[in-house]
Amino acid sequence: MATVLVASNRGPVSYALGEDGGLDARRGGGGLVSGLSAVSSRDSRWICAALGDGDREAVRRGISEPGVQMLDIPPDVYADAYNGIANSVLWFVHHHLYDVPREPVFDAGFRRRWDAYRAYNRAFAEALAAGADEGAAVLVQDYHLALVPGLLRELRPDLRISHFTHTPWADPSYFRMLPADIRAELLWGMLGADELGFHTWAWAQNFMGCASLDDATGTADAFFPSGDPRRWVLHRRTGGPKRTTWIKTYPLGVDGEDLLALAHRPEVDERLAALRAEVGDRRTIVRVDRTELSKNILRGLLAYRELLTVHPEWRGRVVHLASAYPSRQDLEVYRAYTASVTELAAEIDAEFGTADWRPVLVSVEDDFTRSLAAYRLADVALVNPVRDGMNLVAKEIPLVSEEGCVLVLSTGAGAHTELRDHALTVNPYDVTETAEALHRALTMPPEERATHTKHLRAAATALPPQQWFLTQLASLRSH
């Protein structure tokens, strides 16, 4: 039994099957891993899904890390819940990604997959209910587990429950694309929590707008300010007395010391030397993203091409270092997007490249070492998502850049709220504006760049992962 529990799709450890039948454990990183490390493993439990064959075999053999419980959800249920609903419906709704003339289509197949999503969430709720001490704090993570708070509230009304959404939340008009009963179930699930967390107030306001839709449910009665304009109390009826759900924002930051230590390991030094040999004394524009549709990589490349077209003085004097990690390659639309990124980069190289200059050095490998080396080399950071929950890259690159860098940041990034005063802001859809921002960034005087970098670094480390987690835990326990 545990007094602090975390639930997430992906856990802090994964297992790989070796050729000899052995299992190799691989620890993950990130904010949750760092945050939960502040709580004794004797008092905490992390519940996650078994993601692959190695994980499932570990569950069957009874192998686990201290404080970690993996759920061996049937593969077909997991596939329908994770790819069929979480990544193909909820992600698309919250990021406004649908090609509306063709999608979405909510048919019998969707309903079958939604049943799997419901079963997947129920498996988590039941595991949390079984593993929690009386009055324990449960911190549920992200859109994969939107139904868990409501399901868990029914099983264990004594628990303190929070849910944090790491993505944006859909605008109410976009949210209405979902069938009414599905909207109602999602809101019912979320409003089972004592506290709902978002990266930005804009996403929190979107949620409140969705919960207030007249035809969504009978769950929401009204919102009332709590005295702090960033914190609202939601009173709802569930057939009994009203409950209160607090709506709060926690803009996740960077652990500066840890990131800088990672960025100065010997293997990163070696990769940096190799990149410097390729780049020479040219200026650099750096981006690091997953090939996720919302990251807007293609328009970023188009803006770079327009920069070279409209400002030919930069030909031969700048290199675009683009890291595009493959994402969700089991979905065809993502495979096609990744292919489009590499094709467009090749077109730019063919149009402008010379015998001794490649305009774009693109990598579609999952290579964190290369990314850190690129961070250190960055003169300009390009972060232009159409919608994003936070986008920590916008905070990481200015922190690690050795000479300081100018941040070109779109209004669609969650980090824009915090960083906009010291970034060059662009409309993510406006290729010409982005090209001109890149030009301004490359020509910014060193002293102005240094001032902006100083402020960006301070903002980036304002709420590092451990503090981000512990602040939420303390808030949850205070209600």
Side-chain angles (χ1 to χ4, degrees):
M1 304 294 281
T3 59
V4 178
L5 299 93
V6 168
S8 64
N9 176 68
R10 182 180 298 275
V13 65
S14 62
Y15 294 91
L17 271 170
E19 293 182 1
D20 61 353
L23 288 169
D24 296 322
R26 301 172 182 175
R27 292 288 295 184
L32 282 176
V33 174
S34 176
L36 196 60
S37 67
V39 182
S40 169
S41 61
R42 293 173 299 176
D43 303 321
S44 65
R45 179 174 298 182
W46 191 322
I47 295 179
C48 56
L51 301 184
D53 292 339
D55 290 352
R56 297 181 193 284
E57 184 61 26
V59 173
R60 295 185 188 105
R61 296 182 190 181
I63 297 172
S64 64
E65 296 284 305
V68 178
Q69 179 184 353
M70 282 188 174
L71 305 181
D72 188 5
I73 296 167
D76 58 336
V77 173
Y78 180 81
D80 280 346
Y82 181 72
N83 280 330
I85 296 296
N87 288 342
S88 295
V89 176
L90 299 183
W91 180 276
F92 275 64
V93 168
H94 289 322
H95 289 85
H96 297 186
L97 289 176
Y98 278 123
D99 179 8
V100 176
R102 296 179 175 84
E103 301 174 297
V105 176
F106 299 122
D107 55 9
F110 163 77
R111 295 287 174 173
R112 175 183 57 77
R113 292 187 291 274
W114 184 260
D115 286 342
Y117 181 78
R118 187 184 294 124
Y120 164 81
N121 275 253
R122 182 167 293 282
F124 273 85
E126 290 174 350
L128 290 164
D133 281 335
E134 182 74 18
V138 179
L139 296 94
V140 183
Q141 306 299 310
D142 230 353
Y143 61 100
H144 312 90
L145 301 176
L147 304 183
V148 166
L151 294 167
L152 183 57
R153 179 67 62 199
E154 290 187 337
L155 296 171
R156 291 287 303 273
D158 60 295
L159 300 178
R160 309 303 292 172
I161 304 169
S162 73
H163 184 285
F164 191 90
T165 301
H166 294 262
T167 66
W169 190 273
D171 290 345
S173 60
Y174 213 89
F175 191 67
R176 291 181 81 110
M177 295 172 75
L178 292 169
D181 62 316
I182 301 301
R183 298 200 307 270
E185 191 170 357
L186 279 170
L187 294 169
W188 170 86
M190 294 283 284
L191 295 173
D194 297 287
E195 179 172 305
L196 296 176
F198 300 87
H199 280 305
T200 75
W201 188 238
W203 306 145
Q205 287 178 308
N206 280 356
F207 174 82
M208 290 189 287
C210 292
S212 299
L213 292 174
D214 291 339
D215 64 343
T217 75
T219 52
D221 287 315
F223 293 98
F224 300 96
S226 65
D228 181 336
R230 297 167 300 171
R231 299 177 181 178
W232 287 57
V233 181
L234 173 62
H235 293 284
R236 66 191 181 92
R237 295 189 185 279
T238 55
K242 291 183 178 181
R243 289 194 50 81
T244 298
T245 299
W246 288 74
I247 314 292
K248 299 188 180 181
T249 59
Y250 300 94
L252 176 63
V254 175
D255 185 329
E257 291 185 5
D258 183 61
L259 183 61
L260 287 169
L262 287 172
H264 287 84
R265 291 172 299 163
E267 56 265 39
V268 180
D269 292 338
E270 292 176 9
R271 190 62 63 86
L272 178 61
L275 283 179
R276 279 195 171 125
E278 282 191 274
V279 171
D281 60 356
R282 300 178 178 94
R283 308 298 296 280
T284 60
I285 298 170
V286 172
R287 80 171 304 138
V288 175
D289 282 307
R290 290 177 292 110
T291 51
E292 164 56 55
L293 307 182
S294 64
K295 298 298 185 181
N296 210 21
I297 300 171
L298 291 175
R299 289 190 188 91
L301 286 168
L302 290 172
Y304 180 63
R305 182 165 70 182
E306 187 159 323
L307 169 75
L308 299 178
T309 301
V310 177
H311 296 282
E313 66 269 26
W314 288 113
R315 297 178 190 176
R317 296 178 53 215
V318 65
V319 173
H320 187 13
L321 292 170
S323 293
Y325 299 162
S327 176
R328 300 173 185 168
Q329 295 299 290
D330 46 352
L331 298 177
E332 194 281 329
V333 65
Y334 283 85
R335 292 195 299 273
Y337 189 77
T338 302
S340 296
V341 168
T342 57
E343 289 167 6
L344 181 52
E347 288 176 12
I348 296 170
D349 279 343
E351 182 177 357
F352 297 102
T354 64
D356 61 351
W357 172 55
R358 282 187 61 194
V360 184
L361 296 179
V362 66
S363 171
V364 291
E365 302 295 328
D366 192 346
D367 190 343
F368 188 51
T369 300
R370 181 189 189 273
S371 296
L372 289 173
Y375 283 10
R376 289 172 60 179
L377 201 57
D379 294 307
V380 178
L382 176 58
V383 182
N384 67 320
V386 293
R387 280 174 76 86
D388 217 334
M390 175 50 64
N391 204 312
L392 280 178
V393 170
K395 298 183 175 184
E396 292 172 347
I397 299 180
L399 184 67
V400 175
S401 172
E402 293 185 349
E403 300 297 327
C405 74
V406 183
L407 175 62
V408 176
L409 183 67
S410 80
T411 55
H416 179 259
T417 302
E418 299 171 85
L419 307 182
R420 61 188 173 191
D421 290 342
H422 296 282
L424 300 181
T425 294
V426 297
N427 176 338
Y429 304 100
D430 192 334
V431 168
T432 295
E433 182 184 42
T434 304
E436 288 305 309
L438 292 174
H439 176 65
R440 287 175 56 205
L442 290 166
T443 56
M444 184 176 288
E447 61 276 11
E448 185 180 354
R449 180 174 65 177
T451 297
H452 286 311
T453 300
K454 176 183 176 181
H455 288 286
L456 290 171
R457 288 171 174 171
T461 55
L463 195 64
Q466 192 170 89
Q467 185 181 344
W468 175 82
F469 178 87
L470 292 177
T471 300
Q472 291 177 72
L473 179 60
S475 178
L476 179 59
R477 285 171 164 168
S478 71
H479 297 319

